[in-house]
PDB file of all heavy atoms in Angstrom:
ATOM      1  N   ASP Z 207     -14.590  -9.032   8.191  1.00  0.00           N
ATOM      2  CA  ASP Z 207     -14.861  -8.676   9.596  1.00  0.00           C
ATOM      3  C   ASP Z 207     -14.215  -9.690  10.488  1.00  0.00           C
ATOM      4  O   ASP Z 207     -13.669 -10.747  10.025  1.00  0.00           O
ATOM      5  CB  ASP Z 207     -16.309  -8.449   9.887  1.00  0.00           C
ATOM      6  CG  ASP Z 207     -17.163  -9.668   9.705  1.00  0.00           C
ATOM      7  OD1 ASP Z 207     -16.607 -10.854   9.926  1.00  0.00           O
ATOM      8  OD2 ASP Z 207     -18.355  -9.587   9.449  1.00  0.00           O
ATOM      9  N   GLN Z 208     -14.267  -9.529  11.858  1.00  0.00           N
ATOM     10  CA  GLN Z 208     -13.499 -10.330  12.720  1.00  0.00           C
ATOM     11  C   GLN Z 208     -13.991 -11.805  12.688  1.00  0.00           C
ATOM     12  O   GLN Z 208     -13.147 -12.745  12.708  1.00  0.00           O
ATOM     13  CB  GLN Z 208     -13.583  -9.816  14.136  1.00  0.00           C
ATOM     14  CG  GLN Z 208     -12.660 -10.530  15.143  1.00  0.00           C
ATOM     15  CD  GLN Z 208     -11.251 -10.558  14.672  1.00  0.00           C
ATOM     16  OE1 GLN Z 208     -10.670  -9.513  14.370  1.00  0.00           O
ATOM     17  NE2 GLN Z 208     -10.597 -11.733  14.596  1.00  0.00           N
ATOM     18  N   ASP Z 209     -15.290 -12.064  12.642  1.00  0.00           N
ATOM     19  CA  ASP Z 209     -15.761 -13.432  12.587  1.00  0.00           C
ATOM     20  C   ASP Z 209     -15.280 -14.146  11.362  1.00  0.00           C
ATOM     21  O   ASP Z 209     -14.923 -15.335  11.351  1.00  0.00           O
ATOM     22  CB  ASP Z 209     -17.287 -13.451  12.616  1.00  0.00           C
ATOM     23  CG  ASP Z 209     -17.832 -13.018  13.973  1.00  0.00           C
ATOM     24  OD1 ASP Z 209     -17.045 -13.141  14.938  1.00  0.00           O
ATOM     25  OD2 ASP Z 209     -19.006 -12.672  14.064  1.00  0.00           O
ATOM     26  N   GLU Z 210     -15.245 -13.407  10.203  1.00  0.00           N
ATOM     27  CA  GLU Z 210     -14.725 -13.961   8.933  1.00  0.00           C
ATOM     28  C   GLU Z 210     -13.249 -14.229   8.955  1.00  0.00           C
ATOM     29  O   GLU Z 210     -12.802 -15.226   8.403  1.00  0.00           O
ATOM     30  CB  GLU Z 210     -15.101 -13.065   7.834  1.00  0.00           C
ATOM     31  CG  GLU Z 210     -16.660 -12.910   7.603  1.00  0.00           C
ATOM     32  CD  GLU Z 210     -17.010 -11.828   6.664  1.00  0.00           C
ATOM     33  OE1 GLU Z 210     -16.234 -10.819   6.538  1.00  0.00           O
ATOM     34  OE2 GLU Z 210     -18.137 -11.798   6.085  1.00  0.00           O
ATOM     35  N   VAL Z 211     -12.539 -13.367   9.639  1.00  0.00           N
ATOM     36  CA  VAL Z 211     -11.094 -13.580   9.832  1.00  0.00           C
ATOM     37  C   VAL Z 211     -10.855 -14.862  10.634  1.00  0.00           C
ATOM     38  O   VAL Z 211     -10.007 -15.669  10.326  1.00  0.00           O
ATOM     39  CB  VAL Z 211     -10.390 -12.403  10.515  1.00  0.00           C
ATOM     40  CG1 VAL Z 211      -8.983 -12.734  10.888  1.00  0.00           C
ATOM     41  CG2 VAL Z 211     -10.439 -11.166   9.598  1.00  0.00           C
ATOM     42  N   ASP Z 212     -11.626 -14.999  11.741  1.00  0.00           N
ATOM     43  CA  ASP Z 212     -11.482 -16.260  12.553  1.00  0.00           C
ATOM     44  C   ASP Z 212     -11.758 -17.504  11.721  1.00  0.00           C
ATOM     45  O   ASP Z 212     -11.052 -18.489  11.937  1.00  0.00           O
ATOM     46  CB  ASP Z 212     -12.497 -16.170  13.707  1.00  0.00           C
ATOM     47  CG  ASP Z 212     -12.152 -15.074  14.684  1.00  0.00           C
ATOM     48  OD1 ASP Z 212     -11.021 -14.615  14.717  1.00  0.00           O
ATOM     49  OD2 ASP Z 212     -13.092 -14.693  15.510  1.00  0.00           O
ATOM     50  N   GLU Z 213     -12.735 -17.465  10.837  1.00  0.00           N
ATOM     51  CA  GLU Z 213     -13.014 -18.651  10.004  1.00  0.00           C
ATOM     52  C   GLU Z 213     -11.876 -18.891   9.000  1.00  0.00           C
ATOM     53  O   GLU Z 213     -11.460 -20.035   8.773  1.00  0.00           O
ATOM     54  CB  GLU Z 213     -14.331 -18.377   9.206  1.00  0.00           C
ATOM     55  CG  GLU Z 213     -14.711 -19.451   8.195  1.00  0.00           C
ATOM     56  CD  GLU Z 213     -15.025 -20.848   8.879  1.00  0.00           C
ATOM     57  OE1 GLU Z 213     -15.121 -20.910  10.101  1.00  0.00           O
ATOM     58  OE2 GLU Z 213     -15.169 -21.828   8.112  1.00  0.00           O
ATOM     59  N   LEU Z 214     -11.311 -17.835   8.479  1.00  0.00           N
ATOM     60  CA  LEU Z 214     -10.184 -17.953   7.560  1.00  0.00           C
ATOM     61  C   LEU Z 214      -9.020 -18.541   8.299  1.00  0.00           C
ATOM     62  O   LEU Z 214      -8.312 -19.497   7.787  1.00  0.00           O
ATOM     63  CB  LEU Z 214      -9.827 -16.652   6.983  1.00  0.00           C
ATOM     64  CG  LEU Z 214      -8.551 -16.613   6.108  1.00  0.00           C
ATOM     65  CD1 LEU Z 214      -8.670 -17.472   4.886  1.00  0.00           C
ATOM     66  CD2 LEU Z 214      -8.162 -15.176   5.736  1.00  0.00           C
ATOM     67  N   PHE Z 215      -8.699 -18.151   9.518  1.00  0.00           N
ATOM     68  CA  PHE Z 215      -7.610 -18.640  10.287  1.00  0.00           C
ATOM     69  C   PHE Z 215      -7.833 -20.082  10.586  1.00  0.00           C
ATOM     70  O   PHE Z 215      -6.849 -20.879  10.714  1.00  0.00           O
ATOM     71  CB  PHE Z 215      -7.424 -17.828  11.529  1.00  0.00           C
ATOM     72  CG  PHE Z 215      -6.712 -16.504  11.330  1.00  0.00           C
ATOM     73  CD1 PHE Z 215      -6.426 -16.070   9.979  1.00  0.00           C
ATOM     74  CD2 PHE Z 215      -6.350 -15.673  12.387  1.00  0.00           C
ATOM     75  CE1 PHE Z 215      -5.767 -14.859   9.802  1.00  0.00           C
ATOM     76  CE2 PHE Z 215      -5.715 -14.476  12.144  1.00  0.00           C
ATOM     77  CZ  PHE Z 215      -5.438 -14.041  10.922  1.00  0.00           C
ATOM     78  N   ARG Z 216      -9.072 -20.479  10.839  1.00  0.00           N
ATOM     79  CA  ARG Z 216      -9.310 -21.921  11.062  1.00  0.00           C
ATOM     80  C   ARG Z 216      -8.940 -22.754   9.881  1.00  0.00           C
ATOM     81  O   ARG Z 216      -8.288 -23.807   9.968  1.00  0.00           O
ATOM     82  CB  ARG Z 216     -10.853 -22.126  11.359  1.00  0.00           C
ATOM     83  CG  ARG Z 216     -11.229 -23.594  11.648  1.00  0.00           C
ATOM     84  CD  ARG Z 216     -12.725 -23.800  11.632  1.00  0.00           C
ATOM     85  NE  ARG Z 216     -13.236 -23.562  10.260  1.00  0.00           N
ATOM     86  CZ  ARG Z 216     -13.143 -24.398   9.243  1.00  0.00           C
ATOM     87  NH1 ARG Z 216     -12.460 -25.562   9.364  1.00  0.00           N
ATOM     88  NH2 ARG Z 216     -13.675 -24.116   8.081  1.00  0.00           N
ATOM     89  N   VAL Z 217      -9.219 -22.243   8.620  1.00  0.00           N
ATOM     90  CA  VAL Z 217      -8.880 -22.958   7.449  1.00  0.00           C
ATOM     91  C   VAL Z 217      -7.409 -22.956   7.293  1.00  0.00           C
ATOM     92  O   VAL Z 217      -6.774 -23.972   6.875  1.00  0.00           O
ATOM     93  CB  VAL Z 217      -9.578 -22.272   6.210  1.00  0.00           C
ATOM     94  CG1 VAL Z 217      -8.986 -22.789   4.914  1.00  0.00           C
ATOM     95  CG2 VAL Z 217     -11.067 -22.507   6.291  1.00  0.00           C
ATOM     96  N   ILE Z 218      -6.707 -21.848   7.574  1.00  0.00           N
ATOM     97  CA  ILE Z 218      -5.230 -21.773   7.426  1.00  0.00           C
ATOM     98  C   ILE Z 218      -4.572 -22.799   8.381  1.00  0.00           C
ATOM     99  O   ILE Z 218      -3.649 -23.547   7.940  1.00  0.00           O
ATOM    100  CB  ILE Z 218      -4.748 -20.339   7.712  1.00  0.00           C
ATOM    101  CG1 ILE Z 218      -5.157 -19.400   6.619  1.00  0.00           C
ATOM    102  CG2 ILE Z 218      -3.219 -20.348   7.926  1.00  0.00           C
ATOM    103  CD1 ILE Z 218      -4.811 -17.938   6.840  1.00  0.00           C
TER     104      ILE Z 218
END
Side-chain angles (χ1 to χ4, degrees):
D207 61 30
Q208 187 55 53
D209 289 342
E210 293 167 338
V211 171
D212 292 342
E213 175 67 8
L214 174 64
F215 282 6
R216 180 194 64 77
V217 168
I218 289 175

